[in-house]
Amino acid sequence: MIPQQPFEPQEETEDKGKKWLTSKDIKRKREQDIVAIPTGYSCLDNAIRGLILGEVTILSGLNGSGKSSWLNSVMLNVIHRGYKVACFSGELTDFNVMKWLTQSAAGKNYVHKIEGSDYAYEVDDKVYDKVADWLSDKFYLFNNNYGNKFEQVISDLEEVANKGIHLIVLDNLMSISINGISGDRNEKQKQFILEVVEFAKKKNVHVVVVCHPRKESGTQTLLRKESIAGSSDLSNAVQNVAIVHRCGEDFCKRASEFFGKEKAEKYMEYSNVVEICKNRSYGVVDFLVGMYYEVETKRFKNYKAEHIVYGWQEEPNVYEQSQDESQSTMPFNPFEDVGCPF
């Protein structure tokens, strides 16, 4: 980062407008003028409208909670709806990212179990190539050969944003080097997140930053946004904070202490829960959305029978319907005790 320079107040300019605005100077922005990218998860999108352009979301969760799987599903759902995505993955190699995406995009009918493994699946070459063709001008992955320095990553994000990108995923904060930013660790993280927030506004994109929780977090109590490792400025500076929980006895016990046993037990039928801890636009907090994980495809699903046919196939936008779907998309009050009225 450039060393801090002595402060010089900005002069008022015509292109920036007045420094102090009256109510008549402020242009009204109606709800329908706000652009939000649907995540593909109806209960979540009904509550917060999706991923609003110009905003930043911090996503956290314990190891194995499903953060990366859920993000992959979101990226595919976003692409499926006509938006473009860019991703920095500091933990996975490029071929592993593609393996994961193609497996999720292919669907259960086009994956096969790898012999000798109970949980490993893959697609054949023909399907892989079709998915890759479909993603070719819609998904961009940062080449880790260019390093992980924040200055390099942000510079290249500026470049890729010009390709019409709508969603950017940074997975994760710990894999991005911020040593070039002056100050102690907390100050570095503060400057990092402030620059990401400014970038999202300037480029009118939505940025998701994956942040791990502290090592001791989640061992005794339910993971909260205060559990995110690093400076508190991370969650304070962004518009949204979400946590992915893996449902199990530990989650039920800890969630019961926070939300109450009756509410926590309603989510035990799901494999995972995505919690909105902070949403600045609509004030949605402590909001839980249950989801189903499909082992064969690593997909997160709205309901068990959901089957999305992504655009790589000849008949895109086709869904296998079930009676559960009408329930999963019905209107609801995001401030009710239950995240979605199944």
Side-chain angles (χ1 to χ4, degrees):
M1 297 291 290
I2 300 174
Q4 188 173 356
Q5 301 294 324
F7 176 71
E8 294 184 7
Q10 297 185 44
E11 297 296 328
E12 187 172 283
T13 60
E14 185 176 348
D15 61 318
K16 292 182 180 178
K18 297 178 181 178
K19 286 189 177 181
W20 292 95
L21 306 174
T22 69
S23 58
K24 291 292 186 179
D25 296 319
I26 301 171
K27 184 179 179 181
R28 179 182 180 184
K29 194 167 188 177
R30 294 176 171 82
E31 197 66 28
Q32 59 265 33
D33 298 325
I34 298 173
V35 180
I37 310 171
T39 65
Y41 298 101
S42 52
C43 293
L44 186 61
D45 292 335
N46 287 349
I48 63 172
R49 291 200 58 202
L51 307 175
I52 296 177
L53 296 186
E55 292 190 354
V56 176
T57 295
I58 281 181
L59 180 71
S60 191
L62 297 174
N63 288 336
S65 61
K67 299 184 296 296
S68 295
S69 292
W70 185 69
L71 273 177
N72 280 344
S73 295
V74 169
M75 289 192 291
L76 287 174
N77 291 342
V78 165
I79 291 169
H80 187 57
R81 285 160 173 79
Y83 300 92
K84 293 185 178 183
V85 175
C87 176
F88 167 88
S89 179
E91 293 187 344
L92 293 177
T93 58
D94 53 2
F95 57 83
N96 273 320
V97 172
M98 274 301 295
K99 178 183 182 297
W100 206 328
L101 281 177
T102 52
Q103 184 176 339
S104 296
K108 196 172 182 179
N109 296 332
Y110 293 95
V111 299
H112 59 270
K113 183 182 287 189
I114 297 175
E115 186 176 352
S117 174
D118 291 332
Y119 301 104
Y121 294 81
E122 66 179 2
V123 301
D124 62 30
D125 292 344
K126 185 177 180 180
V127 172
Y128 183 99
D129 291 341
K130 284 188 175 182
V131 174
D133 286 343
W134 174 60
L135 292 173
S136 63
D137 60 345
K138 305 173 183 67
F139 175 75
Y140 297 86
L141 180 67
F142 182 75
N143 185 345
N144 289 336
N145 289 334
Y146 287 92
N148 66 341
K149 290 185 177 180
F150 175 63
E151 300 89 333
Q152 181 68 52
V153 174
I154 200 71
S155 173
D156 289 323
L157 286 178
E158 294 264 0
E159 180 181 339
V160 79
N162 296 330
K163 297 181 182 294
I165 298 298
H166 304 92
L167 172 64
I168 292 174
V169 173
L170 301 179
D171 188 8
N172 59 66
L173 172 59
M174 294 303 295
S175 62
I176 298 176
S177 172
I178 55 176
N179 291 332
I181 302 175
S182 59
D184 60 19
R185 181 168 174 264
N186 285 344
E187 183 63 26
K188 292 175 189 290
Q189 291 184 344
K190 177 182 177 180
Q191 292 303 317
F192 162 83
I193 202 65
L194 289 176
E195 192 153 345
V196 171
V197 168
E198 184 61 29
F199 170 82
K201 291 177 183 177
K202 182 174 68 172
K203 292 298 184 180
N204 197 33
V205 298
H206 193 99
V207 180
V208 176
V209 182
V210 179
C211 296
H212 291 317
R214 298 185 185 92
K215 288 184 178 181
E216 70 276 10
S217 299
T219 56
Q220 300 296 329
T221 59
L222 188 68
L223 196 65
R224 314 308 306 143
K225 66 181 177 69
E226 293 78 15
S227 308
I228 295 173
S231 170
S232 60
D233 291 306
L234 291 172
S235 57
N236 291 336
V238 301
Q239 292 84 4
N240 311 280
V241 178
I243 295 176
V244 180
H245 302 282
R246 187 171 184 173
C247 295
E249 293 302 322
D250 285 345
F251 168 77
C252 187
K253 178 182 177 181
R254 296 165 190 169
S256 296
E257 296 171 355
F258 190 85
F259 295 109
K261 185 175 181 180
E262 182 180 358
K263 180 175 180 179
E265 288 182 343
K266 291 179 181 179
Y267 289 90
M268 290 306 292
E269 73 167 281
Y270 303 104
S271 56
N272 300 78
V273 167
V274 174
E275 178 187 359
I276 301 301
C277 302
K278 174 183 177 181
N279 173 257
R280 190 172 289 166
S281 294
Y282 302 103
V284 179
V285 296
D286 302 337
F287 179 75
L288 306 179
V289 179
M291 298 181 187
Y292 298 95
Y293 179 72
E294 186 173 76
V295 174
E296 296 89 343
T297 62
K298 296 181 178 289
R299 288 185 182 182
F300 274 72
K301 307 196 298 183
N302 284 285
Y303 53 96
K304 289 182 179 179
E306 181 183 47
H307 176 67
I308 303 175
V309 178
Y310 287 107
W312 66 269
Q313 294 183 250
E314 294 180 359
E315 297 181 4
N317 302 313
V318 176
Y319 293 77
E320 290 183 3
Q321 303 284 345
S322 79
Q323 292 181 350
D324 292 334
E325 184 176 20
S326 62
Q327 295 177 329
S328 70
T329 57
M330 63 187 294
F332 66 98
N333 179 355
F335 299 99
E336 289 178 352
D337 287 338
V338 181
C340 198
F342 285 96

